[in-house]
Short mmCIF file of all heavy atoms in Angstrom, two decimals:
data_model
loop_
_atom_site.label_atom_id
_atom_site.label_comp_id
_atom_site.label_asym_id
_atom_site.label_seq_id
_atom_site.Cartn_x
_atom_site.Cartn_y
_atom_site.Cartn_z
N ALA A 7 91.26 6.25 10.41
CA ALA A 7 91.48 6.15 11.85
C ALA A 7 91.94 4.75 12.21
O ALA A 7 92.80 4.65 13.12
CB ALA A 7 90.28 6.62 12.60
N ASP A 8 91.34 3.79 11.57
CA ASP A 8 91.75 2.34 11.94
C ASP A 8 93.31 2.16 11.82
O ASP A 8 93.93 1.53 12.60
CB ASP A 8 90.99 1.34 11.10
CG ASP A 8 89.56 1.23 11.53
OD1 ASP A 8 89.19 1.59 12.67
OD2 ASP A 8 88.82 0.67 10.65
N THR A 9 93.76 2.62 10.65
CA THR A 9 95.25 2.46 10.33
C THR A 9 96.09 3.25 11.39
O THR A 9 97.06 2.71 11.82
CB THR A 9 95.47 3.14 8.88
OG1 THR A 9 94.67 2.38 7.99
CG2 THR A 9 96.90 2.89 8.54
N VAL A 10 95.72 4.50 11.70
CA VAL A 10 96.45 5.24 12.65
C VAL A 10 96.44 4.67 14.12
O VAL A 10 97.46 4.52 14.66
CB VAL A 10 95.98 6.75 12.75
CG1 VAL A 10 96.63 7.49 13.80
CG2 VAL A 10 96.09 7.42 11.35
N ILE A 11 95.22 4.22 14.51
CA ILE A 11 95.09 3.53 15.76
C ILE A 11 95.89 2.27 15.89
O ILE A 11 96.59 2.03 16.87
CB ILE A 11 93.61 3.30 16.14
CG1 ILE A 11 92.89 4.64 16.33
CG2 ILE A 11 93.50 2.37 17.42
CD1 ILE A 11 93.27 5.40 17.57
N GLU A 12 95.93 1.52 14.77
CA GLU A 12 96.68 0.28 14.84
C GLU A 12 98.21 0.62 14.99
O GLU A 12 98.89 -0.15 15.73
CB GLU A 12 96.46 -0.49 13.47
CG GLU A 12 97.15 -1.82 13.45
CD GLU A 12 96.94 -2.53 12.08
OE1 GLU A 12 95.97 -2.29 11.46
OE2 GLU A 12 97.83 -3.37 11.73
N TYR A 13 98.64 1.61 14.36
CA TYR A 13 100.06 1.98 14.50
C TYR A 13 100.40 2.34 15.93
O TYR A 13 101.51 1.99 16.50
CB TYR A 13 100.40 3.15 13.54
CG TYR A 13 101.80 3.62 13.59
CD1 TYR A 13 102.77 2.99 12.86
CD2 TYR A 13 102.17 4.72 14.44
CE1 TYR A 13 104.11 3.36 12.91
CE2 TYR A 13 103.50 5.09 14.51
CZ TYR A 13 104.46 4.38 13.82
OH TYR A 13 105.81 4.83 13.86
N PHE A 14 99.45 3.07 16.64
CA PHE A 14 99.83 3.47 18.04
C PHE A 14 99.28 2.42 19.05
O PHE A 14 99.30 2.74 20.28
CB PHE A 14 99.13 4.83 18.22
CG PHE A 14 99.91 5.89 17.59
CD1 PHE A 14 99.61 6.44 16.33
CD2 PHE A 14 100.98 6.49 18.15
CE1 PHE A 14 100.23 7.36 15.70
CE2 PHE A 14 101.68 7.49 17.52
CZ PHE A 14 101.43 7.89 16.31
N SER A 15 98.83 1.25 18.59
CA SER A 15 98.17 0.35 19.57
C SER A 15 99.13 -0.09 20.52
O SER A 15 98.69 -0.52 21.69
CB SER A 15 97.58 -0.86 18.84
OG SER A 15 98.54 -1.61 18.12
N HIS A 16 100.43 -0.16 20.35
CA HIS A 16 101.42 -0.68 21.34
C HIS A 16 101.93 0.40 22.32
O HIS A 16 102.48 0.10 23.33
CB HIS A 16 102.51 -1.34 20.62
CG HIS A 16 102.09 -2.52 19.87
ND1 HIS A 16 101.53 -3.66 20.37
CD2 HIS A 16 102.10 -2.75 18.46
CE1 HIS A 16 101.20 -4.59 19.48
NE2 HIS A 16 101.55 -3.94 18.29
N ILE A 17 101.79 1.69 21.94
CA ILE A 17 102.31 2.76 22.74
C ILE A 17 101.22 3.73 23.33
O ILE A 17 101.58 4.44 24.27
CB ILE A 17 103.39 3.58 21.97
CG1 ILE A 17 102.77 4.12 20.67
CG2 ILE A 17 104.62 2.72 21.67
CD1 ILE A 17 103.72 5.03 19.94
N GLY A 18 100.06 3.72 22.78
CA GLY A 18 99.06 4.66 23.24
C GLY A 18 99.29 6.03 22.72
O GLY A 18 100.34 6.32 22.08
N ALA A 19 98.43 6.96 23.03
CA ALA A 19 98.53 8.33 22.63
C ALA A 19 97.49 9.26 23.16
O ALA A 19 96.41 8.68 23.80
CB ALA A 19 98.45 8.47 21.03
N GLU A 20 97.57 10.48 23.08
CA GLU A 20 96.45 11.41 23.40
C GLU A 20 95.50 11.40 22.27
O GLU A 20 95.91 11.39 21.12
CB GLU A 20 97.00 12.75 23.67
CG GLU A 20 97.91 12.93 24.82
CD GLU A 20 98.51 14.32 24.91
OE1 GLU A 20 98.63 15.04 23.92
OE2 GLU A 20 98.88 14.65 26.02
N VAL A 21 94.20 11.45 22.53
CA VAL A 21 93.16 11.34 21.44
C VAL A 21 92.20 12.45 21.67
O VAL A 21 91.57 12.74 22.71
CB VAL A 21 92.42 9.95 21.58
CG1 VAL A 21 91.29 10.01 20.54
CG2 VAL A 21 93.36 8.89 21.29
N ALA A 22 91.95 13.19 20.57
CA ALA A 22 90.96 14.23 20.53
C ALA A 22 89.92 13.86 19.55
O ALA A 22 90.15 13.59 18.28
CB ALA A 22 91.64 15.61 20.07
N LEU A 23 88.71 13.58 20.02
CA LEU A 23 87.57 13.10 19.19
C LEU A 23 86.61 14.25 18.84
O LEU A 23 86.20 15.02 19.64
CB LEU A 23 86.71 12.04 19.92
CG LEU A 23 87.49 10.74 20.22
CD1 LEU A 23 86.53 9.92 21.16
CD2 LEU A 23 87.80 10.00 18.99
N GLU A 24 86.26 14.25 17.53
CA GLU A 24 85.25 15.28 17.15
C GLU A 24 83.89 14.94 17.75
O GLU A 24 83.21 15.91 18.13
CB GLU A 24 85.17 15.28 15.59
CG GLU A 24 84.25 16.28 14.97
CD GLU A 24 84.18 16.17 13.50
OE1 GLU A 24 84.00 15.06 12.97
OE2 GLU A 24 84.32 17.19 12.87
N SER A 25 83.60 13.60 17.86
CA SER A 25 82.37 13.26 18.60
C SER A 25 82.58 11.92 19.21
O SER A 25 83.37 11.10 18.71
CB SER A 25 81.16 13.16 17.62
OG SER A 25 81.30 12.14 16.66
N ASP A 26 81.85 11.58 20.23
CA ASP A 26 82.09 10.42 21.08
C ASP A 26 81.89 9.05 20.27
O ASP A 26 82.54 8.13 20.51
CB ASP A 26 81.10 10.34 22.26
CG ASP A 26 81.46 11.32 23.28
OD1 ASP A 26 82.62 11.91 23.32
OD2 ASP A 26 80.63 11.74 24.10
N ASP A 27 80.93 9.09 19.23
CA ASP A 27 80.64 7.92 18.52
C ASP A 27 81.79 7.55 17.51
O ASP A 27 81.76 6.46 17.00
CB ASP A 27 79.33 8.06 17.74
CG ASP A 27 79.33 9.11 16.67
OD1 ASP A 27 80.17 10.10 16.77
OD2 ASP A 27 78.62 8.99 15.73
N LEU A 28 82.82 8.27 17.43
CA LEU A 28 83.96 7.92 16.55
C LEU A 28 84.92 6.97 17.14
O LEU A 28 85.67 6.29 16.44
CB LEU A 28 84.69 9.19 16.15
CG LEU A 28 84.03 10.06 15.19
CD1 LEU A 28 84.77 11.40 15.07
CD2 LEU A 28 83.84 9.46 13.82
N TRP A 29 84.82 6.75 18.52
CA TRP A 29 85.73 5.84 19.21
C TRP A 29 85.20 4.42 19.13
O TRP A 29 84.14 4.15 19.49
CB TRP A 29 86.01 6.20 20.63
CG TRP A 29 87.03 5.37 21.22
CD1 TRP A 29 86.81 4.30 22.10
CD2 TRP A 29 88.42 5.46 21.01
NE1 TRP A 29 88.04 3.74 22.42
CE2 TRP A 29 89.00 4.42 21.79
CE3 TRP A 29 89.26 6.16 20.18
CZ2 TRP A 29 90.39 4.16 21.78
CZ3 TRP A 29 90.64 6.01 20.20
CH2 TRP A 29 91.14 4.94 21.04
N ASN A 30 86.05 3.51 18.57
CA ASN A 30 85.69 2.10 18.52
C ASN A 30 86.30 1.39 19.74
O ASN A 30 87.53 1.37 19.87
CB ASN A 30 86.25 1.47 17.26
CG ASN A 30 85.81 0.05 17.03
OD1 ASN A 30 85.49 -0.66 18.04
ND2 ASN A 30 85.84 -0.43 15.81
#
């Protein structure tokens, strides 16, 4: 997830979390 989020860090995206504690 860190790698994917870093790639989208400049444009943002829709995010579907399996559980709330996964979001940093």
